[in-house]
Each structure stands twice: as C-alpha cells, then as structure tokens.
Amino acid sequence: MNNLIEIHNITKNYHTKEGEISAIKDFNLNLKKGEIVSIVGPSGCGKSTLLSIIANLDSDYQGEIIQHNLKIAYMLQNAALLPYLTIYENAILGLKINHQLTKENLAYVDYLFDLYNLNDFKNNYPKSLSGGMKQRIALIRTLSLKPDLLLLDEPFSALDEQSKLIISEDVYKIIKEKNITAILVTHNIEEAIYFSDKIVVLSKRPAIIKNIISINCENNTSIYERRKDPNFHKYFDTIWKDLDINES
Amino acid sequence: MSPEQKKFLKNLKLTKYKVIFLQIAILVIFLGLWEFLTFKGIISPFIYSSPSKIFSTIIDLIHSHNFFIHIYITLKEVLIAFFLGISLGFIIALILYEWKFLAKVIDPYLTMFNSLPKVALGPLIIIAGGANIKSVILMALLINLIISIITIYNGFLCTDEYCFKLFKTLHATKLQTLLYLVIPNSYQTIITSLKLCLSQTLVGVLMGEFLVSKQGIGYLIVYGKQVFNLNIVMSGIIILALISYILYKFITILEKKLLKHI
C-alpha cells in the first residue's frame, strides 16, 4: 500500500432545471509517489471536473478519495496572471495567500526564476510577456507551493507549438527532478504519451474508464527523447482506437 | 540614441504640443467670437453676456458678494456628497456582491429608484430637512448613490471566472479573493463610477441649491435670474465648468495611476 492517493468509485452528477446529468461514473485510480498519469478523453467528457474533485474544489460527488494531507497544486490552461501585479508578485501569490512567504520559499522562487531565465522580468507586468513566458510564471507560482501532487489542467493547450514543447519540457524535468506526482488532463494524445507513465482513456460523457495504458519508454531523460521511442506510434494507435471519435 | 529614435521622440513631443496649441486656440477663438458677436450686437449681449462682461462681473462679485464663500459652499457640498455617494455605493455594492440573494431581492427596487427623476423628491427633502446644506447634500446623494451602487456592483460581477478558479486552487479565503482579485480587478469600473458619480453629484448639488440654498453657485445663478443680471448667471456657469473640470482632472490622475499596468 504505497499509493500516494487512492480514488475509489467517483461518480458525479450535475443538477439542472432540465434534469440530472451524469458527468463521471465509477472512476477509480491509484497513484504512486513520482508517477505521472495523463487523463485523455473527448472534449467535455468531465476531465476537468475530475481534477476539481481530486483538488477538493468540488465536494459534491459520490465515492472516496484517500490521501493523507497532501499538498495539492493546480496549474490551469490559462496562466491567469493578475495584470495589476508584477511578474514577481504574481509568482509569489500562492505563497502570500497561504501565508508561506518564508525565506526558504522565496529562495526557491528565486531559484526557479534563475532556472527559467526570468530574472530580468521580475519587475515587469504581465502584459509585456509572451504566452510561453506567462505560462512559465504560472508554473513558478504553482511549484512555489512545493506540492506533493501536481494537477495539470491542459496547461499547454493555449500555447503555440514551440512554446508548448519548451514549457512541457520544463514541467516534465522539474516533476522528475523533484519526484512530484502529477495528473495531466489533456486532449492531445502525443502530449499524453511523451509526458506520462500511465494514460487513462475516458469515454464521452458520462466519463467511464475505457482503458488504462502503461507507457514504458527506453529513454526518460526528456520529452524529446520520449517522442523518439519506437513504441510511440503503437501507443498512439491504441489510444486513438480507445477514444473512438466516430462513436455516436 | 539612434537618429530614428530621436525623430520618433521628437514627433511624439510635437504631437503633444500640437494638441495643447489647438486646445488653447479653440478656447481663444470661441471667446473672441463670442466677444465680437455680442459687441457687434449680432447676438444679444443681455441674454448671452460676453467674456469681458463675465470677467468684470466675477471681479465685482469678488468685491461685493463673498464670491469665494459661494464657491466654497458649492465645493464643500459637492465633495461631501461625492465621497458619501462613492463610499456608500462601494459598501452597498460589496454587500450585494457577497449576498447575491439580497441583490436578487432588491434588484427591481434599485432599477425603479434609478429611473425615478430624483428632483421630484426635492419638495419632500426641503420639508423634511429644511433649507440648509444637509438638504442639498441629501439631494445630491439621492442622485449619485444608486448609479454608484449599480456601476460598482456590475464591475465586481465582471471578475474573470478563470481568475476565480485560480484563487480557488490557491485555497484563498473569501476576504483574500475580495482584496487581491475582485476589488483590484474592478479598478476600471470604479474609475468609471467615480466619473459618473461626480457628474451626478454636480447635478444634485445644483438642483439642491436651486431649491433650498442661500449660498453657493446654484444660489448665485438663481439670484442672477431673479434680478435679470444674466452676467451673474453666466459667471456661475463658467465657475461650475471650471470646478467640474478640476475635479474630473483629479479622477483622471487617479485613473492613470491605478490603470497604468492594465
């Protein structure tokens, strides 16, 4: 029993004037320390809802999540930087809100600014940054909380292709370096393969697990290397079939 | 600095000077034309006065009618009503934002009161409050408060849903979300409501002074009308325009400061 988090039989229904909508049905998942799991599925199937439940942002569900005081951090699709704060103030926003502006944490933020070559922009305002740089700041803001579990809600989907590769490499490397457990929600099959150790394929709404695929790449040093893996296309085909986009 | 950069900066400066020059030129032409037309009798100097007469009337008023007291009284009424309107508007908007059920309940009353011509309440205010400065301020407050509440409340409601989600993921408390997100995010709307509140306050104070006052620019205008000295009326209007311009300028300075990076 060395699971970091255990998710048992999660079921989620929405209540509207028109009636009850079943969003997720009997979702089960166990994650070990340092494991990266991607969740893929058709648009609107309930992937982000699932992340909200795991992050404890939504408590209106059936089922059980077993975890022991995990520090959970959430990275969104949009950097959501506040335009009236400087880049640095944005980066330490999570620490400020959680009353964790300690010397050690601020030194870690400085280290991340150094790592991503953003030191010169600390006193700038978000409007002067590119999309990729903004998402890096959002990454620093998320990592500054030193999470045990990192939830990534399509964090690369709003980026251009080049920035997407750079930022996903940043995230992958830091996750591996710090041995952080992560769940990535994405609609991009390639991204799911080069990023994760395990992929959960969901059906259309109500989301039920169609398949869980373990990804075993020969070289895990970077996502660039993982993309070159000989089994990459085999994994892609399996997920593509599971997703069955023609399914009505 | 490269010659191109120098040229660019020079052009920027030149445009700025051109704008100032044209602004002054419009004023000079307007005043000159006004003076000329009344001097030649093309338009009635009795009804429309003239810049020179307005100037001499202001000088006379300074000497004989405690002119600065009138300005002081109006300015005092405007500032008190303005700060009361904007502060109460902000507090009530916050309460409605935090208590959306209450907002739903009072929505039709707010709409009704907003569309009501508040000047109709004038006689009621005079009888209830008497002919004093309090009644003038109350009149202005009735006019500026509802618009402040509605504008600021709508500004709070326009906070980006995505940023709300961010604050939820960071486990921010309601107070933190309010202080770090909702209020700063509404700076633009708050500035708009300051501008609206100022113009509504001026209307309210003038209305109040027309109805009940014994001092103030509004009183001067009514007095000028009663004694058929339209130079006094015109002087009052000019002074009011200057007061509103100066107060508006303060808001634009605040606007530049608050919205510098947005």
Side-chain angles (χ1 to χ4, degrees):
Chain A
M1 282 292 289
N2 55 351
N3 290 327
L4 187 87
I5 182 166
E6 293 180 14
I7 302 163
H8 297 299
N9 302 316
I10 295 294
T11 295
K12 164 85 185 171
N13 297 318
Y14 283 113
H15 304 279
T16 66
K17 278 184 194 169
E18 288 73 32
E20 200 174 54
I21 298 165
S22 178
I24 301 163
K25 215 170 172 183
D26 290 327
F27 183 88
N28 291 283
L29 184 69
N30 294 333
L31 270 97
K32 290 186 175 59
K33 174 99 182 117
E35 197 172 22
I36 307 176
V37 174
S38 283
I39 299 174
V40 292
S43 286
C45 76
K47 303 184 291 284
S48 294
T49 307
L50 199 56
L51 272 202
S52 293
I53 290 171
I54 297 167
N56 206 17
L57 303 178
D58 182 351
S59 53
D60 181 21
Y61 64 90
Q62 291 143 40
E64 190 185 19
I65 296 177
I66 302 169
Q67 52 110 332
H68 302 288
N69 297 322
L70 286 183
K71 273 205 268 179
I72 301 175
Y74 202 117
M75 193 170 163
L76 301 160
Q77 181 181 353
N78 185 313
L81 300 183
L82 305 179
Y84 42 86
L85 297 183
T86 63
I87 300 302
Y88 187 72
E89 287 165 341
N90 266 291
I92 61 167
L93 184 68
L95 293 174
K96 190 177 174 183
I97 283 173
N98 289 285
H99 308 290
Q100 292 175 10
L101 286 169
T102 61
K103 264 187 187 175
E104 190 196 347
N105 286 337
L106 291 176
Y108 184 54
V109 170
D110 287 340
Y111 159 76
L112 291 170
F113 266 91
D114 252 350
L115 187 69
Y116 299 132
N117 293 317
L118 287 164
N119 266 329
D120 293 342
F121 300 95
K122 269 184 176 173
N123 296 319
N124 286 26
Y125 284 82
K127 69 176 178 188
S128 63
L129 298 190
S130 67
M133 284 162 114
K134 282 181 186 165
Q135 202 60 343
R136 269 187 165 158
I137 302 299
L139 175 65
I140 296 176
R141 183 179 60 203
T142 313
L143 293 173
S144 69
L145 296 166
K146 296 182 178 165
D148 304 305
L149 177 63
L150 182 59
L151 303 177
L152 304 159
D153 190 358
E154 304 200 32
F156 319 119
S157 61
L159 301 172
D160 60 85
E161 203 52 39
Q162 197 185 348
S163 302
K164 190 183 284 186
L165 289 174
I166 296 167
I167 308 293
S168 50
E169 181 74 69
D170 287 346
V171 178
Y172 180 80
K173 279 191 171 158
I174 199 107
I175 284 176
K176 285 292 169 195
E177 186 193 315
K178 304 283 175 192
N179 199 27
I180 301 169
T181 310
I183 301 177
L184 168 73
V185 155
T186 179
H187 57 261
N188 185 325
I189 301 174
E190 288 187 8
E191 193 175 281
I193 300 168
Y194 64 63
F195 208 86
S196 16
D197 305 311
K198 197 154 77 182
I199 296 174
V200 178
V201 185
L202 295 181
S203 69
K204 68 181 182 70
R205 186 171 274 192
I208 53 169
I209 296 176
K210 289 184 93 174
N211 197 0
I212 297 180
I213 301 149
S214 289
I215 308 292
N216 298 302
C217 292
E218 286 167 9
N219 187 340
N220 290 317
T221 49
S222 72
I223 59 168
Y224 298 109
E225 294 302 327
R226 285 173 68 98
R227 282 165 75 95
K228 291 184 213 157
D229 196 89
N231 290 321
F232 193 90
H233 290 289
K234 193 187 85 187
Y235 292 133
F236 189 99
D237 290 343
T238 310
I239 296 167
W240 182 254
K241 276 176 198 156
D242 284 334
L243 278 175
D244 194 6
I245 55 157
N246 294 320
E247 189 185 48
S248 59
Chain B
M1 197 186 291
S2 71
E4 287 81 11
Q5 176 69 7
K6 269 185 188 169
K7 199 180 165 190
F8 171 76
L9 292 176
K10 200 181 162 187
N11 276 341
L12 271 185
K13 247 185 188 173
L14 204 67
T15 310
K16 193 181 160 189
Y17 291 143
K18 269 184 195 167
V19 169
I20 294 171
F21 173 76
L22 281 173
Q23 284 171 338
I24 294 169
I26 287 170
L27 186 68
V28 170
I29 291 169
F30 173 73
L31 292 177
L33 204 62
W34 186 3
E35 185 70 39
F36 175 76
L37 292 174
T38 48
F39 180 73
K40 289 283 176 192
I42 299 169
I43 59 169
S44 164
F46 174 72
I47 297 174
Y48 299 105
S49 190
S50 67
S52 59
K53 277 186 183 164
I54 290 170
F55 183 73
S56 58
T57 305
I58 289 175
I59 300 292
D60 285 347
L61 283 170
I62 290 169
H63 289 306
S64 58
H65 281 85
N66 296 326
F67 190 50
F68 291 114
I69 296 284
H70 290 299
I71 294 176
Y72 167 74
I73 294 291
T74 299
L75 208 55
K76 187 171 141 187
E77 289 162 349
V78 167
L79 289 178
I80 293 175
F82 174 73
F83 283 111
L84 271 177
I86 209 74
S87 318
L88 284 174
F90 185 82
I91 293 166
I92 296 170
L94 263 186
I95 293 169
L96 294 180
Y97 178 76
E98 282 303 319
W99 200 4
K100 299 228 171 47
F101 182 75
L102 177 69
K104 272 187 185 172
V105 173
I106 70 159
D107 180 62
Y109 299 105
L110 272 182
T111 312
M112 193 169 68
F113 199 73
N114 187 39
S115 49
L116 177 81
K118 265 73 74 180
V119 69
L121 299 170
L124 201 70
I125 294 165
I126 301 166
I127 295 165
N132 54 42
I133 189 171
K134 281 182 199 161
S135 295
V136 177
I137 291 171
L138 186 61
M139 184 79 211
L141 198 58
L142 281 174
I143 292 180
N144 71 18
L145 183 60
I146 304 295
I147 197 77
S148 301
I149 296 172
I150 293 174
T151 322
I152 298 173
Y153 176 63
N154 283 324
F156 289 162
L157 288 182
C158 287
T159 310
D160 184 18
E161 276 303 317
Y162 224 85
C163 290
F164 266 121
K165 189 164 184 185
L166 167 75
F167 271 68
K168 260 180 117 178
T169 65
L170 295 173
H171 308 292
T173 61
K174 263 192 164 184
L175 185 66
Q176 286 173 326
T177 308
L178 206 61
L179 292 178
Y180 300 147
L181 176 64
V182 178
I183 294 174
N185 208 63
S186 309
Y187 283 162
Q188 180 74 66
T189 332
I190 291 170
I191 293 291
T192 308
S193 83
L194 286 178
K195 289 176 179 172
L196 280 171
C197 184
L198 177 65
S199 59
Q200 297 296 307
T201 306
L202 283 163
V203 171
V205 164
L206 253 279
M207 286 292 176
E209 285 185 351
F210 282 173
L211 289 171
V212 299
S213 182
K214 287 170 185 156
Q215 277 176 316
I217 306 288
Y219 164 78
L220 257 191
I221 292 173
V222 172
Y223 170 76
K225 188 199 82 181
Q226 282 168 350
V227 298
F228 279 98
N229 185 346
L230 296 184
N231 292 328
I232 294 180
V233 176
M234 279 297 194
S235 304
I237 293 169
I238 298 289
I239 295 299
L240 263 183
L242 282 174
I243 288 176
S244 72
Y245 176 77
I246 291 165
L247 293 175
Y248 203 83
K249 205 70 195 160
F250 277 118
I251 298 175
T252 48
I253 291 169
L254 184 71
E255 181 179 22
K256 272 186 190 159
K257 212 175 160 102
L258 277 180
L259 306 179
K260 200 172 161 187
H261 304 293
I262 299 175

